[in-house]
Amino acid sequence: MKDAFKEHIAWTSDDPIGWSVDRADGPFIYLTDGRRIIDFISGIAVSSIGHRHPRVIKAIEEQISKHLHVMVYGEFVQAPQVRFAERLASVLPERLQVTYFTMTGTEANEGALKMAKKYTGRTRMIAFDRSYHGDTHGSLSVTGREEYRRPFEPLLPDVTLLPFDDVAALDAIDDATACVITEPIQGEAGIRVPSKKWLKALRVRCDETGALLIFDEIQTGFGRTGALFAFQRFGVTPDILTLAKAMGGGMPLGAFVSRKDVFSVLREDPPLSHVTTFGGHPVSCAAALAALDVLVEEKLAARALVVEARIRTALSFSDVTEIRGMGCMLGLELSDAACAKRVVRRCMENGVLLGWTLHSDRLIRLAPPLNIPFDTLDAALHIIAVALKAG
Ligand code: PLP
């Protein structure tokens, strides 16, 4: 199997983890060599309710006994899509009541950017330094890391990158601006939490200029930060919300959510100006509905805060420069990158999967499932603490 992995799977780096997966359940990944790993990154913020939650599996089984793909997105009334969109609307505010489903996060951002341009009739897009919005051309154009952008230039024109969490810089948003896109907490930048003041000022500036405010909650959404959505923690509602990752309960699903009048531009002049074959796959939507029910009924957003408190208590010692983040979206910043690398490797050897973030090499990513059992959490924290002390 490993030889075929080397020969026939396209790698994304020269140094993949290379573990061979047998199965996964709850907070655990089981490897073919018999090892059981505590998943402390949730497939990068995907398995927030653990792997293969029984209610998600049941919903998938029920749906596959009815139908898989039947038609491109938006033509047929497909019950799993409609039910999930309705349920999503029930947990979102008035200006976020209509959902367009995609397969992935980057596609959700692509749709949001296109819709904002068409709705406003403007072309300028504003994003922030060290942001990450995905790897297709449009999303990459609003991603704020020069070394990831440069090899693929020219990207989209008329994009301005501003410093993150800088109120004065928001004056650059003007009445030629179609949209401003930001993560409410930057994930790949190294879990950067902005001030409430900045996000509120951003909302005000967008209202003053008529620019649409897009929050990319692909990583922060679905309970991870201690509220169902991070925007609720800051008290700032976007015009467009983009979602993916944990939404599908382990199945691929993305979405952009907004108001009916904003969405109207995608259905006219010309009609079908933004379509997708697989967006809102019925099996993914059935899984997503079950996952959201679990999240709400088991109050897992609130539980994320309990997990956070336990992590902060267990890992607050001098070798850690800072613990940043909210809920189960945390980063441990160490003094140097080599040390962060050693600690992650040591934890992985001892059965705890941790990770890095794309744009910050001194930071160790902690993103356990929100429902990780406390004995498993404590076992993982013990292994991490020992690795940190060894330096
Ligand atoms: N936006 C954010 C904030 C992300 O963290 C990611 C993925 O990590 C994406 C967008 C891209 O999502 P996807 O990999 O599903 O395209």
Side-chain angles (χ1 to χ4, degrees), residues 44 104-107 109 132-135 183 188 216 218-219 244-245:
I44 317 293
T104 64
T106 196
E107 276 179 80
N109 286 334
Y132 180 71
H133 295 295
D135 279 338
E183 303 149 86
E188 298 313 311
D216 174 341
I218 287 162
Q219 197 167 142
K245 286 197 181 273

Side-chain angles (χ1 to χ4, degrees), residues 49-213:
I49 58 168
H51 294 277
R52 300 180 70 250
H53 193 286
R55 286 177 62 184
V56 171
I57 298 298
K58 184 164 174 279
I60 291 172
E61 283 170 353
E62 281 172 13
Q63 184 54 39
I64 61 177
S65 73
K66 290 185 180 149
H67 65 88
L68 302 179
H69 175 85
V70 283
M71 184 51 171
V72 295
Y73 178 70
E75 295 293 334
F76 287 177
V77 180
Q78 298 187 46
Q81 290 174 350
V82 178
R83 280 201 207 106
F84 179 53
E86 194 178 22
R87 182 77 176 98
L88 198 53
S90 76
V91 297
L92 285 169
E94 206 177 327
R95 65 164 96 179
L96 299 170
Q97 289 291 296
V98 181
T99 295
Y100 187 117
F101 288 117
T102 64
M103 283 282 285
T104 64
T106 196
E107 276 179 80
N109 286 334
E110 295 285 343
L113 296 172
K114 279 179 70 181
M115 185 164 76
K117 284 169 79 176
K118 194 150 187 273
Y119 179 76
T120 58
R122 307 171 182 178
T123 54
R124 185 161 188 226
M125 290 175 280
I126 291 191
F128 297 94
D129 68 12
R130 293 170 66 194
S131 59
Y132 180 71
H133 295 295
D135 279 338
T136 51
H137 266 91
S139 300
L140 182 60
S141 301
V142 289
T143 285
R145 255 317 272 284
E146 189 51 30
E147 69 187 288
Y148 288 85
R149 299 163 55 89
R150 201 179 307 117
F152 304 102
E153 284 173 344
L155 295 170
L156 285 181
D158 224 358
V159 171
T160 305
L161 293 169
L162 301 180
F164 186 66
D165 199 14
D166 179 337
V167 173
L170 298 178
D171 285 347
I173 301 168
D174 58 13
D175 56 16
T177 306
C179 60
V180 180
I181 182 167
T182 189
E183 303 149 86
I185 298 175
Q186 286 191 333
E188 298 313 311
I191 320 291
R192 292 169 89 197
V193 183
S195 63
K196 209 178 249 192
K197 186 174 152 218
W198 180 72
L199 279 171
K200 284 190 187 293
L202 179 55
R203 177 69 273 176
V204 168
R205 190 68 194 140
C206 286
D207 288 341
E208 284 167 359
T209 56
L212 293 183
L213 179 57

